[in-house]
Every structure is written in structure tokens, then in C-alpha cells.
Amino acid sequence: MVAEISKPNFDSEPESSLALPSGPGETINTLSHYYRGELSRMISWRDRLDRTSNWAITVSAALLSVSLSTPTSHHGVLLFGMMVVTLMLHIEARRYRFFDIYRARVRKLERGYFAQILAPNGDFKGDWACAIARSLRKPQFLVSYLGAVQRRLRRNYCWMYLILLLAWCLKITTPKLQTEGSPLMQAHSWSYVVDNAALGPIPGWAVLCIVAAGYLGILYGALHRERDEGEFVRGEAHV
């Protein structure tokens, strides 16, 4: 008779069979590998943030060059640039929320472990390991989508919006940039500015109101700060 080969029952394996670190040396080695892994993921998402910002800067510069270099270019090119920058801002805000998760883990490990090795602080609370463990078991975003938009707006995008707004105002108020051969002078009547601000079937006053409302929202987002921003307070390194 051929003896039956019994199959191992993996479901009945005890949980303690996991290869957990058995000593301080293995724990330190594990933490080192974990730190490098989290740091790599943080750098990867940071690189994605930089790419989005670079795209927004490139698009803004290209549209500024097209709009201001020739009088035949419509001022709507700059309005289109504002829309593209807004799209890039929302894409970057989504990426920033993921980046913030890994950044928080890395900073907890640096503050709670490496900083304590270099310069022990007796008053420091040692709950950093539990915080990282909770994040690993159940990852959650640490900043809201609106908060991420506001942070990226303050860091980079408010300046792009400001440059586009100044160029747009210059475009609709300077006859030289509207009609080829016109003298280089500023508009002396409000009706001239309103007429130049028209966009197809949309009257100029409506375009001015839409732009003004949009920039009021941008100004609020750039100046408004969350009550608890942790390391994002003034004077500490942040992105």
C-alpha cells in the first residue's frame, strides 16, 4: 500500500510562528530597513509633487510668452492658463495627501528614535512607535483635501496665480497688447477695459466678476491656516 502524504494545515499554524525580531540587534536592523523603505516612498511622492509644480510653471511660462509676445493673441489664453494651474493644484493636493502619510511616519521615527539616540531627552513622550503601528495597521489621511490644497497654494501656486493675474490685467488694459500698431499706453476709460475683458458671448463685466471671485477664494486659501498644523508652524522645515 502506498502511504498517504499528509498536507500541512497552514490555517492551524500558531500566530507566534512569524519571524519576529528575537533580540535588540534584530530589532535595530529591522528599524533601519523600515526607515529606508518609508524614506524611499516619501521621496517618491515628493518627486511627484515636484513634477506637478514643474508642469504648472512650464505651462504658465509658455502661455505668458504666447499671450504677451503678440497683439493678436487673445487674453483668454491667460484665463486658460489659470484653469490649467488650478487643475495642476488639485492633482498636486491629492498627491500631497499620500506624501504626508509617509512623511509623518518618517518624522515620527526620526524624532522618537534617532534623535533620542543622538541626544536623549528625558521629557520626550515615547508613544511614537504606537502611532506608527496604528498608521501601518490602518493608514489614514492626516490632512483634508481642502487643507492640502491650501498648503500647496501657499507654498507654490499663489505666486503662479499672481503672475497670471498681473499679465492678464496688463493684457486687457494696454492697447499695444490688443491691437498691432497701437501706441504703448494704458487705457484711460473703464468701458475700454470692460470691452477688452469680454470672452466670446460672455460680457466683460461678467468675466471680471468671475476672475475677482476666483482670486478672492485664492486669497482666502493662501491666508487661512488650520489651527493645528504641527510641524507646519513658522520657523520649522516643511514642504
Side-chain angles (χ1 to χ4, degrees), residues 150-156 158-159 221-222 224-225 229:
Q150 291 175 343
R151 287 183 182 179
R152 301 316 297 161
L153 181 61
R154 286 196 299 268
R155 301 294 178 262
N156 296 328
C158 62
W159 307 110
H224 177 73
R225 288 182 177 272
E229 290 198 341

Side-chain angles (χ1 to χ4, degrees), residues 107-133:
R107 291 295 299 127
K108 286 183 175 67
L109 192 57
E110 290 175 344
R111 289 196 307 266
Y113 183 71
F114 293 107
Q116 286 295 99
I117 293 177
L118 297 174
N121 184 0
D123 298 332
F124 184 80
K125 297 180 180 180
D127 58 348
W128 58 272
C130 295
I132 295 177

Side-chain angles (χ1 to χ4, degrees), residues 62-227:
L63 294 181
L64 282 171
S65 177
V66 170
S67 178
L68 300 180
S69 62
T70 172
T72 58
S73 177
H74 197 269
H75 71 89
V77 173
L78 295 173
L79 297 178
F80 177 72
M82 297 175 188
M83 295 174 59
V84 173
V85 170
T86 302
L87 175 63
M88 295 296 179
L89 173 60
H90 285 278
I91 294 175
E92 185 163 325
R94 176 186 174 275
R95 295 180 174 182
Y96 180 83
R97 298 183 75 194
F98 286 94
F99 161 80
D100 190 54
I101 297 175
Y102 306 119
R103 175 189 175 279
R105 293 176 184 173
V106 169
R107 291 295 299 127
K108 286 183 175 67
L109 192 57
E110 290 175 344
R111 289 196 307 266
Y113 183 71
F114 293 107
Q116 286 295 99
I117 293 177
L118 297 174
N121 184 0
D123 298 332
F124 184 80
K125 297 180 180 180
D127 58 348
W128 58 272
C130 295
I132 295 177
R134 287 194 299 267
S135 178
L136 291 174
R137 290 190 175 98
K138 190 177 181 181
Q140 292 181 343
F141 291 119
L142 304 178
V143 61
S144 65
Y145 187 82
L146 181 59
V149 170
Q150 291 175 343
R151 287 183 182 179
R152 301 316 297 161
L153 181 61
R154 286 196 299 268
R155 301 294 178 262
N156 296 328
Y157 284 81
C158 62
W159 307 110
M160 301 183 208
Y161 280 117
L162 179 60
I163 293 173
L164 289 173
L165 177 63
L166 294 176
W168 183 71
C169 292
L170 182 65
K171 182 72 175 179
I172 65 176
T173 58
T174 307
K176 180 70 174 180
L177 298 177
Q178 292 289 334
T179 305
E180 191 171 1
S182 298
L184 185 60
M185 57 182 294
Q186 295 296 319
H188 296 286
S189 65
W190 177 251
S191 60
Y192 176 83
V193 176
V194 174
D195 292 339
N196 285 340
L199 186 63
I202 305 177
W205 62 268
V207 175
L208 291 173
C209 290
I210 293 173
V211 173
Y215 272 84
L216 285 177
I218 293 171
L219 181 62
Y220 173 79
L223 298 179
H224 177 73
R225 288 182 177 272
E226 299 176 354
R227 291 185 178 180

